[in-house]
Every structure is written in C-alpha cells, then in structure tokens.
Amino acid sequence: SAVLAIPLLCASSSASTALEFSQWIKELRKDAVTKGVRPATLDVALKGVKLIPRVVELDRKQPEFTLTFRQYMDRVVPQGRVDKGRQKLRENRALLQQISRKYGVPPKFIVAFWGIETDFGRITGGFSVISALVTLAYDGRRSTYFRGELMNALKIIDGGHITAKAMVGSWAGAMGQPQFMPSSFLNFAVDHDGDGRKDIWKNVADVFASAANYLARSGWKGDQTWGRPIRLPKGFDQTLAGHGTRKLISEWQKLGVRPADGTDLPTRDLKASVVLTEGPGSAAYLAYNNFRTILKWNRSNFFAIAVGSLADRIGDG
C-alpha cells in the first residue's frame, strides 16, 4: 500500500480517493471514541484535516549525504549556541535549579537538550500535528506506529493541554520546545506550574520539567557525567569499541585509554564503553550510563555526544 500511497497523495485527489479518505477518517473517528476521546473534541480536531504531500516526501527522503562527525558538531554545537545556552541558563537559573533538585538532572543538561532540539524554543516546527500524523497513518509505510501517535495526540487535545489548532510540530509529529512525540508527552510531560495544563509549547517551566522527568525516568544518574573525549593507545583492540562492551574505568586505564589531554582517567569506578564516532581511527569517547540515557531520547551517538559536549561547554552558566 505504501507504493500506491504516493500517487494517491501527490496526484490531484480523484473522487474515489477522496471517498476512501473520508471513509478512513470515519473509521478513525469510531476508533478514537472507543478509546475514550470525546466526540466534541474530534469534531474540532478532525475538521478540515488534509493529507500533506510534503510530509510523505520528507518521510521518504533519505538524506543524500550524511554529515561527518566534525560537520555535525560544527552545525549542532557552534560557539553561538554555547553563548546562548549560558545566557538562557542565567536567565532561568532559579527555575532550573528547582527542577534540577526535583529530578536530579543538572541545569546545563536540560538547557543543552532544549538548545539542540529547538534552538531554545525558537524552531518548533510549522506543521499541524494532527494533519501530519493523519497523513503518515493513512500513507501506509509505518501506519501502525503513526496511527498510535495520532490517537495519543487526540487524547492530549481531549485532555485540554492544547487546542488542535495550536498543536504544531515537525513533519513527523514531534511537538513543542523539547520535540516530544505524543507518546512521550503522555508518558513524561509535567505540569510544573500547576495550572492544570502540560504546556510544552509556550511554558518554559513545563518544558524544563518535562525534559528532566523524561531523563530521570529513563535512568539518568544525577551524580555522574555523560562521558568524555579520549585518546586510544597504539594497537588498541578495535573489537572492544561499542556499547556492547562495558568495563570499569580502571580497566580502561590499564588498557592505556586516556582523556584527550593525556592525563589519567578518573579514579571513580563507573562502567563505561568506548564509542568511536566513525569507526577505527576516528574521534573516540568514553561513554557512561548517562550517555545510554541520552540515547533513549535519540538513538544517535552523534546526538548524545553533541548534548554532552554542549552541556560541558555551557557549564554552570
């Protein structure tokens, strides 16, 4: 069906296609009501909902070239973002400290996620989340997943957290300043200021607390850092690299692994993995438990290193 869906969405909708789509929406509506979403919510949320060909295009489009690690870091952690991150930490210090005490996630990490996901809330996406998710659920490539996220989005609207019109996000349905998928919103979003709404779009207290809660519940350890850049000894056994191998820091020290500046590794015996950014001979990092927690947010080593590096450079503001 995925093959058929491209012409359906990109050609001018024929009468039969329009009929199919309206039938699909009817079924979706029925399904949503059985899952407890109020009909009045659906009247508003699904009114005038349309398929967005651009969303299908973006979903299909594999990037033609991938960035090298260096290009990625230059793009995602430029000096300007570090400066802005320090400024944002200073401006929100009291709030961040309060949230940090509650969830055990240091302010600099909350600010780093915020900075990388949406440039501190500046770029949150311009797609109607409902229309984008309807498109992806109807399209058929990953329809089960996106139909589930669409149901979650309807539940969020039904819960009064946001209106369908104000629910904007990325083409794939990631929303608000921390770019949560609707399932992540239902699992982790927090009403920090107690106004009865979990507002990850406009309310920074809810944004910070939701991000911190996500990390805390995904296994963040507040008394540890994320990792560090390292240099490997000549003749390092490459089969030891990767998240599959975890050794105590002292064991890595014995094997000749050192911080980038050549000093000794910390004496605290945490378990760690050696992560190579681009295979043998590339930039290497020692990754601790919190690195793995960052990967639960986004399963990319580049992303995890960017978050950790940005947090380190922001420091305590």
Side-chain angles (χ1 to χ4, degrees):
S1 74
V3 183
L4 295 172
I6 300 180
L8 288 186
L9 287 178
C10 299
S12 57
S13 277
S14 61
S16 69
T17 310
L19 190 68
E20 256 174 61
F21 180 60
S22 70
Q23 190 51 43
W24 187 90
I25 289 285
K26 267 198 197 106
E27 309 265 319
L28 173 81
R29 211 194 141 89
K30 257 198 255 166
D31 191 10
V33 170
T34 64
K35 291 192 165 73
V37 181
R38 289 170 303 175
T41 298
L42 296 166
D43 291 343
V44 178
L46 298 175
K47 185 175 189 268
V49 74
K50 321 190 257 299
L51 296 171
I52 311 172
R54 177 77 182 131
V55 165
V56 176
E57 240 174 75
L58 289 164
D59 185 46
R60 293 273 187 282
K61 196 174 84 184
Q62 294 309 317
E64 288 93 70
F65 69 98
T66 41
L67 299 173
T68 65
F69 175 63
R70 189 40 45 215
Q71 288 168 328
Y72 178 85
M73 291 296 282
D74 289 346
R75 179 175 293 191
V76 177
V77 194
Q79 185 59 45
R81 183 161 285 164
V82 175
D83 296 340
K84 196 167 167 186
R86 288 175 182 157
Q87 181 200 336
K88 293 287 182 191
L89 198 154
R90 281 194 300 270
E91 286 168 8
N92 298 283
R93 188 185 297 279
L95 175 63
L96 283 161
Q97 283 173 338
Q98 183 192 44
I99 288 167
S100 177
R101 279 194 296 275
K102 184 167 181 185
Y103 297 99
V105 179
K108 64 183 180 182
F109 284 99
I110 300 170
V111 173
F113 275 95
W114 186 36
I116 288 174
E117 284 295 357
T118 57
D119 196 32
F120 313 102
R122 194 174 65 84
I123 307 163
T124 55
F127 288 92
S128 152
V129 168
I130 296 299
S131 287
L133 291 174
V134 161
T135 302
L136 291 164
Y138 183 73
D139 168 53
R141 192 170 84 86
R142 291 185 283 165
S143 56
T144 310
Y145 170 71
F146 285 113
R147 190 183 178 97
E149 290 295 354
L150 174 57
M151 283 296 168
N152 291 333
L154 292 167
K155 286 177 189 164
I156 293 164
I157 294 165
D158 200 45
H161 300 290
I162 188 143
T163 64
K165 190 170 186 243
M167 187 187 258
V168 291
S170 77
W171 64 266
M175 319 180 294
Q177 299 192 29
Q179 290 288 280
F180 278 6
M181 288 302 288
S183 53
S184 295
F185 182 100
L186 291 176
N187 287 325
F188 303 114
V190 172
D191 171 18
H192 185 77
D193 66 352
D195 67 354
R197 292 169 54 225
K198 298 171 182 178
D199 180 3
I200 61 168
W201 289 266
K202 296 268 194 291
N203 183 325
V204 290
D206 291 2
V207 170
F208 297 162
S210 299
N213 185 46
Y214 187 117
L215 294 166
R217 302 226 339 247
S218 301
W220 191 270
K221 304 248 187 291
D223 62 339
Q224 301 176 15
T225 187
W226 63 282
R228 65 184 67 249
I230 48 173
R231 54 164 86 155
L232 301 175
K234 277 200 173 51
F236 177 78
D237 177 359
Q238 299 293 332
T239 64
L240 294 176
H243 293 290
T245 304
R246 302 176 78 174
K247 292 179 180 295
L248 294 169
I249 295 176
S250 55
E251 296 176 77
W252 290 119
Q253 170 79 16
K254 281 197 193 97
L255 289 170
V257 174
R258 294 292 180 271
D261 64 6
T263 57
D264 285 338
L265 287 171
T267 52
R268 186 169 178 199
D269 252 348
L270 306 178
K271 283 226 155 133
S273 299
V274 166
V275 173
L276 299 175
T277 51
E278 294 161 306
S282 65
Y285 287 80
L286 205 56
Y288 305 137
N289 171 82
N290 288 339
F291 191 106
R292 290 168 189 267
T293 301
I294 298 171
L295 292 177
K296 290 181 186 168
W297 182 299
N298 180 327
R299 287 192 293 274
S300 148
N301 282 330
F302 283 17
F303 177 85
I305 293 165
V307 167
S309 303
L310 180 57
D312 284 350
R313 289 177 64 192
I314 289 169
D316 300 320

